[in-house]
Amino acid sequence: MAYRNKTYVAFDADSDIRYYRLMQAWKQNGNTAFNFYDAHDLTNLMKWSSEDTIKRSLRERLKSAKIFILLVGDRTKFHHKFVRWEIQQALKLDIPIIVINLNGKRYFDDNLCPPILDTELALHVSFNQKIIDYALNNWAPLHSQYKRQRQLQPFRYSTEVYDSLGL
């Protein structure tokens, strides 16, 4: 198995690419402490690559992911071909999932979050650099603890966590 040291980001590329680009800019500008790797770049594939070829490449990237981030926008729940498939793979590989709500909600948003996560252990946070940084640094061990305790439902940080970060 590959060494898991990457952060994998899944999102609706048609509508939400700007949020992904902003996260890349945070890393590039040194404005964040998190170790963010571009596990989503598929430059080695051709435009005419088959769905199977793309999924095989994504699966390899997922195998080296220590955290799976899902950016949830207005249309994310309707993307089954890749986004839902990526979520399924993350669940199979037991990769801790951080759901980032682009609408600012700090909790599971059943109107926008893909239904596959309705009853799965995943952390739900708002799109903000400080809380994302905090989640990337703290969610994996908490995820493991909750899995051992069989607490398998959507999770959110308390208001106190957000307050401690000045949010």
Side-chain angles (χ1 to χ4, degrees):
M1 178 173 228
Y3 180 68
R4 289 186 169 192
N5 63 350
K6 307 269 192 266
T7 298
Y8 187 99
V9 183
F11 56 94
D12 168 9
D14 295 328
S15 302
D16 301 326
I17 188 80
R18 68 184 179 273
Y19 296 98
Y20 177 67
R21 296 282 185 241
L22 181 55
M23 290 175 68
Q24 288 178 314
W26 292 341
K27 179 183 182 258
Q28 200 169 46
N29 292 333
N31 291 337
T32 184
F34 62 73
N35 195 5
F36 181 82
Y37 293 94
D38 187 356
H40 206 70
D41 181 24
L42 295 175
T43 55
N44 63 329
L45 297 176
M46 302 298 178
K47 288 182 182 182
W48 57 84
S49 294
S50 72
E51 181 179 335
D52 286 340
T53 300
I54 293 169
K55 285 181 175 178
R56 188 170 36 257
S57 181
L58 293 174
R59 190 177 299 109
E60 286 306 309
R61 293 159 198 266
L62 279 160
K63 287 179 182 176
S64 67
K66 68 177 178 179
I67 291 281
F68 179 93
I69 288 180
L70 176 64
L71 300 179
V72 174
D74 292 335
R75 303 198 36 79
T76 309
K77 75 187 294 179
F78 304 112
H79 288 271
H80 299 277
K81 187 176 188 178
F82 291 109
V83 174
R84 181 182 172 85
W85 178 86
E86 289 168 303
I87 296 166
Q88 289 171 326
Q89 298 307 304
L91 291 168
K92 283 181 191 175
L93 294 168
D94 198 28
I95 302 169
I97 298 173
I98 301 172
V99 176
I100 300 175
N101 294 308
L102 302 179
N103 64 3
K105 291 189 177 175
R106 298 175 173 184
Y107 51 85
F108 175 76
D109 184 346
D110 62 346
N111 290 320
L112 298 179
C113 192
I116 190 173
L117 292 173
D118 286 358
T119 58
E120 297 291 344
L121 178 59
L123 172 64
H124 297 259
V125 299
S126 59
F127 185 80
N128 180 285
Q129 182 179 342
K130 287 182 182 178
I131 196 65
I132 294 169
D133 188 19
Y134 183 87
L136 284 168
N137 290 319
N138 295 286
W139 177 237
L142 201 52
H143 174 269
S144 295
Q145 174 187 335
Y146 287 142
K147 288 285 271 198
R148 281 192 305 275
Q149 296 171 354
R150 298 199 179 278
Q151 295 181 21
L152 308 176
Q153 70 269 347
F155 182 84
R156 65 188 254 183
Y157 285 133
S158 67
T159 302
E160 290 78 21
V161 170
Y162 281 89
D163 288 348
S164 72
L165 297 170
L167 303 173

